[in-house]
Amino acid sequence: MLDVGSAGGAHSFSLADGAALVVALDLSRAELQRLADKTPSGGERVVVLQADATDLPFPDGSFDEAALYEVLEHVKSPARVLAECCRVLRPGGIFTMSVPTAYTERVYWRLHPSYEQQSTHLRIFELEEVVTLLSEAGFEVRRQETAHFAPMLAWFVHCLLRTPADHTGAVLRNRFVDVAVAKAVGIARRLPLVGAVVRFLSCRFGKSWWFACAKLPAL
């Protein structure tokens, strides 16, 4: 499995639980060093590689699966990155990705004077636009979900508090907000009636859109 734009490895180790080998790829040497420093004993199933997502250093069809989580909004050539992800997958290979939802991004950009700068997001994607980009790259979207309801709520608070964060979305202060919101949402889910409302909202509103795709066979 290929984890494109792995950064410090937020997803790489969890992906390794279901894959024989995960290649964690990022352009930043500093981020890859963070990942390497976190690699647990016996973590040989995660291989770290520095490379550019617009020019992946692998032959066609090298991977069974690929992931691209919260990366597309950071790159200048999203179509090129998706095309490269498709190229290195075998026909029928699984591709999962996520991007920030357009409605939350617009609110955060307006509420937090430093959000755009510190997040290093270059653009805001509409849902239909992402689906089109995936189709043009050679993918079939098989499932699409809205995710990260609690983080969405937490980031409303962070914007009001002017919380500093790095480009991966990790907050550098006020971490209690994430913990408090996650606990509150967890408790609300277990309550009668309120839990049903929270589950309903969680399926429709969130900080990210998540996609599960398959590479279409060549014509």
Side-chain angles (χ1 to χ4, degrees):
M1 184 166 192
L2 178 63
D3 183 12
V4 182
S6 63
H11 303 285
S12 299
F13 296 118
S14 60
L15 293 173
D17 290 339
L21 177 69
V22 173
V23 176
L25 181 145
D26 202 276
L27 188 59
S28 169
R29 186 179 296 275
E31 291 292 345
L32 291 174
Q33 186 58 55
R34 283 176 54 199
L35 190 156
D37 292 342
K38 291 190 296 186
T39 301
S41 176
E44 296 83 2
R45 287 192 298 165
V46 177
V47 176
V48 175
L49 178 67
Q50 184 182 23
D52 190 333
T54 63
D55 187 20
L56 296 174
F58 309 108
D60 296 357
S62 297
F63 294 90
D64 297 309
E65 299 182 49
L68 187 80
Y69 297 139
E70 310 295 308
V71 174
L72 212 61
E73 66 276 10
H74 294 274
V75 302
K76 294 180 180 179
S77 304
R80 175 65 180 172
V81 171
L82 291 176
E84 278 292 276
C85 290
C86 188
R87 180 185 65 78
V88 300
L89 275 176
R90 62 168 176 78
I94 302 301
F95 178 64
T96 55
M97 66 163 283
S98 65
V99 294
T101 52
Y103 48 87
T104 57
E105 286 290 280
R106 291 195 179 95
V107 173
Y108 300 154
W109 284 34
R110 287 183 173 88
L111 285 181
H112 197 317
S114 302
Y115 181 83
E116 179 183 357
Q117 178 183 6
Q118 66 188 22
S119 68
T120 68
H121 293 178
L122 300 181
R123 60 185 296 174
I124 296 174
F125 287 100
E126 300 293 341
L127 179 58
E128 297 79 6
E129 181 184 9
V130 180
V131 172
T132 298
L133 284 168
L134 286 166
S135 177
E136 291 175 346
F139 291 112
E140 177 187 39
V141 178
R142 294 188 170 174
R143 197 161 92 245
Q144 185 269 311
E145 298 176 359
T146 301
H148 303 150
F149 179 69
M152 176 192 73
L153 299 177
W155 261 102
F156 279 118
V157 180
H158 285 308
C159 287
L160 297 175
L161 296 175
R162 305 295 193 261
T163 300
D166 64 21
H167 70 280
T168 67
V171 296
L172 305 178
R173 231 178 24 232
N174 302 326
R175 291 186 176 89
F176 71 91
V177 172
D178 296 338
V179 176
V181 171
K183 285 186 177 179
V185 171
I187 292 171
R189 286 179 183 274
R190 294 193 293 271
L191 297 175
L193 298 180
V194 175
V197 172
V198 171
R199 287 189 292 273
F200 174 83
L201 294 174
S202 298
C203 295
R204 289 158 179 80
F205 300 100
K207 196 172 187 298
S208 302
W209 285 313
W210 181 86
F211 303 84
C213 313
K215 178 178 177 176
L216 293 171
L219 298 178

